[in-house]
Amino acid sequence: MRISSTKSRFIAALSSATLVAAVVIATPAHAAAVGPICDKKVPVQTCQGMTSDGAPYVMMVPANFNGTVALYSHGYRYNIDLPAGMLPTVPAGYKVTNTPEPIPGGNPAIANYFLGNGMAIMGSGFSRQGWNLDAAVATNVELVGAFKTAFPTTKHVLAWGSSLGGIITQTLAEKYPTLVDAVAPMCMADNISAELTAAGDVLWGIKTFFDPTIKGGNYSAGAAGNAEAIGDIVKVLTVLGSLKANMATGAWPATSSATGKALEAGGVPSRSALLLIGLMAGLPTQSDHFDSISGPDGALKLSFPLAISPALAILENSASAAVLAILATQDLELQAGGAVYDNTKTDYAARVADSSVIYNAALSGNTAITAMLTALNPANPGAPRAKANPDAVAKLGQLAATTGKINMPTIMMVGVADPITPAGATQRIVDAYATQLKAEHDAAIAAAKKSRNYQAPKKNLVVFWSTTPKAYTTFDSTGAPIATTPSAPGTNHCNFSTDNLLTVAKLLVSAGTTGKFPTGGAIASAARRSGNLSVDKYFRAPLLKYYNEQ
């Protein structure tokens, strides 16, 4: 049965949930749980409530409920309000919200798939925003229990999530392997230390080269800290605007540090310094509109992709990374009680040893590379390193983290050029599972020597890599690149089509209800039909730079 009114019912449910959320904001932690309170409507009833930690939730259950429910965990939401006009992505401004999100982005086609096939959906807005892995996992455990109590015919619980919701989902599966039957962590965030290092390196590089007045950490508590963070965002976006305007000339922003101005005087273009920052942090050199391959017809056909396009890609990617770095750093400092980003021991020359060869031309050659790395050396007082508070770092280390253990059918999907949750975060899980599967295989062989009956271990991981087109940068009649078209597949953050999401959802349902993945070429065929998805077992994404220093 298809439900034509799914979208309007879904929007109505979220609008009602907003009222719940408004009340919940002031609710003390560990209050009495509320609900679920259901409206008993058909063909789909909506249930609302609140877990004991004050997190609002929504359940949507069709009248022909077949016993399968999908729990969705939303991604990172900023933990402070942002004024209108500051971020191009949210021109109307941003208000902190804990509105529940039971399907990715409120996508009605996804809701229709589940509800129209007799399955329920649910999700929480969580009790706090920002980095909330520990609290979110606890909320989800309680939410699953509440659903089973309200709907005792429940047979299968599926869990999926995006970005921060991806690592919430993976952690839930690791810590509570009997609670859910299959999971799908999408565009999954890495553990907080790795994510913070990548984002922090971008912010530190921008501060060090282009505007030393950026605070970049050690934010004050309360409203003062909020103002400092917002001020940093404005400064970063101003720097990036200047870099964009001067991409061709290579002129440095007026706010550049003495170190930056010295490099400019030495003939180093600002775009090369920006690219170096991106390479140090591990940002992709493909972005929404720049493939680092294409050039306009004419004189720049070869020189544009060689010297300009990688910097433009880093420009697009670093905007998202730096804003996240500011807000996540402020949030985590408040949670940990002090500065948590530290690069006092980071060897940036080693970080870019390989990539500086690949992007030598875009970095303006060996002389410029040496000059920039010398400027970033800890011995240069003009490039002071960031030092963390040891007690805060220790407290940060006590937060939940994933090990990569796969306990059940698991589907992962990530863009190969995602700048916020890099594909390397998924690759870490792939590597951990390869080790796990080998150990299971060795154990099965040892057991078979005694029983004479070999039982092959079940393969429990499927990874969909969202790939970029071979070439996608476009140019206008003057040869200028066009950056107003939709983001290319495989780029941006969690940039999946409805077909991509449906491919994951359908495989999640199949694996969760049968306990295994389909055999043969069914999964590869589904990936091809979905568009821009690959299950290439030989593809390998680079790990986040953090892991190269452990």
Side-chain angles (χ1 to χ4, degrees):
M1 178 182 67
R2 293 292 173 186
I3 304 172
S4 60
S5 60
T6 294
K7 182 175 182 180
S8 60
R9 289 180 180 276
F10 179 69
I11 293 173
L14 291 193
S15 298
S16 299
T18 303
L19 300 177
V20 176
V23 176
V24 167
I25 291 173
T27 303
H30 307 296
V34 176
I37 301 170
C38 302
D39 61 15
K40 304 297 183 181
K41 292 181 179 180
V42 291
V44 176
Q45 65 174 317
T46 298
C47 306
Q48 301 177 54
M50 183 172 63
T51 51
S52 60
D53 60 354
Y57 62 78
V58 165
M59 303 168 178
M60 299 184 73
V61 187
N64 61 339
F65 178 53
N66 64 12
T68 297
V69 58
L71 165 66
Y72 182 74
S73 296
H74 69 69
Y76 190 96
R77 294 177 181 173
Y78 302 143
N79 203 31
I80 64 172
D81 294 340
L82 300 178
M86 190 175 74
L87 292 180
T89 52
V90 281
Y94 171 82
K95 299 291 289 184
V96 177
T97 176
N98 57 359
T99 300
E101 187 179 336
I103 53 171
N107 190 314
I110 307 302
N112 190 60
Y113 165 69
F114 284 106
L115 299 174
N117 287 284
M119 293 173 282
I121 56 176
M122 63 178 174
S124 167
F126 303 129
S127 58
R128 74 175 306 276
Q129 303 312 310
W131 187 267
N132 58 6
L133 177 57
D134 296 77
V137 169
T139 294
N140 280 346
V141 171
E142 186 175 341
L143 181 54
V144 170
F147 186 90
K148 288 182 174 180
T149 298
F151 301 96
T153 60
T154 302
K155 301 173 185 176
H156 302 289
V157 178
L158 316 174
W160 62 332
S162 304
S163 192
L164 175 57
I167 194 173
I168 290 168
T169 300
Q170 175 63 23
T171 306
L172 179 71
E174 289 182 15
K175 295 183 69 174
Y176 300 94
T178 63
L179 193 67
V180 290
D181 298 291
V183 295
M186 301 182 294
C187 45
M188 190 186 84
D190 212 318
N191 289 330
I192 188 57
S193 295
E195 284 283 344
L196 190 64
T197 296
D201 285 333
V202 173
L203 183 58
W204 179 81
I206 292 174
K207 168 185 170 75
T208 300
F209 276 150
F210 302 126
D211 188 348
T213 69
I214 293 171
K215 192 171 178 66
N218 277 310
Y219 294 108
S220 304
N226 292 352
E228 291 165 357
I230 289 171
D232 273 0
I233 292 173
V234 172
K235 290 177 181 179
V236 165
L237 295 180
T238 300
V239 163
L240 295 179
S242 174
L243 291 170
K244 181 180 180 181
N246 294 296
M247 188 63 62
T249 66
W252 286 59
T255 56
S256 295
S257 66
T259 293
K261 290 175 180 177
L263 289 170
E264 181 179 28
V268 178
S270 58
R271 63 176 176 270
S272 294
L274 175 65
L275 175 59
L276 182 71
I277 292 170
L279 296 176
M280 293 186 324
L283 287 179
T285 51
Q286 288 185 310
S287 68
D288 305 38
H289 304 101
F290 298 100
D291 56 24
S292 293
I293 295 174
S294 305
D297 292 334
L300 297 179
K301 184 71 174 179
L302 298 179
S303 61
F304 181 87
L306 191 65
I308 306 295
S309 187
L312 284 168
I314 295 298
L315 183 75
E316 283 194 327
N317 288 335
S318 60
S320 301
V323 170
L324 177 64
I326 293 165
L327 296 176
T329 296
Q330 184 209 14
D331 172 39
L332 287 161
E333 286 182 348
L334 290 174
Q335 291 190 53
V340 291
Y341 171 73
D342 193 308
N343 68 346
T344 54
K345 297 181 180 179
T346 303
D347 186 343
Y348 288 114
R351 283 267 192 95
V352 299
D354 294 332
S355 56
S356 62
V357 175
I358 298 171
Y359 295 99
N360 190 277
L363 292 169
S364 299
N366 292 336
T367 300
I369 294 169
T370 299
M372 289 187 288
L373 291 175
T374 300
L376 295 179
N377 191 287
N380 177 19
R385 296 296 178 99
K387 184 174 179 58
N389 179 312
D391 292 336
V393 172
K395 189 171 182 180
L396 192 72
Q398 295 172 6
L399 298 179
T402 61
T403 65
K405 174 75 171 178
I406 301 294
N407 294 313
M408 63 199 63
T410 301
I411 304 117
M412 306 189 81
M413 180 167 67
V414 65
V416 297
D418 189 321
I420 299 298
T421 53
T426 296
Q427 185 67 55
R428 181 177 64 85
I429 305 297
V430 173
D431 292 349
Y433 183 61
T435 300
Q436 175 188 332
L437 192 60
K438 183 181 184 305
E440 292 174 355
H441 174 71
D442 292 345
I445 291 176
K449 290 179 180 179
K450 297 179 180 179
S451 66
R452 304 290 182 178
N453 181 26
Y454 174 71
Q455 296 291 326
K458 183 172 62 174
K459 294 184 178 179
N460 271 332
L461 179 63
V462 168
V463 181
F464 291 118
W465 303 102
S466 177
T467 58
T468 58
K470 184 176 181 180
Y472 56 87
T473 302
T474 56
F475 303 87
D476 64 20
S477 58
T478 69
I482 299 171
T484 55
T485 54
S487 300
T491 69
N492 207 299
H493 180 46
C494 300
N495 179 26
F496 305 129
S497 69
T498 295
D499 283 343
N500 294 160
L501 293 170
L502 282 172
T503 297
V504 171
K506 291 175 181 179
L507 187 58
L508 179 65
V509 170
S510 172
T513 54
T514 66
K516 59 184 179 181
F517 289 121
T519 57
I523 295 175
S525 295
R528 286 193 296 272
R529 289 193 301 270
S530 181
N532 297 102
L533 292 187
S534 170
V535 290
D536 183 359
K537 64 180 180 180
Y538 297 109
F539 175 80
R540 179 174 179 81
L543 298 176
L544 275 70
K545 297 293 186 180
Y546 171 85
Y547 295 107
N548 297 328
E549 299 170 357
Q550 304 307 300

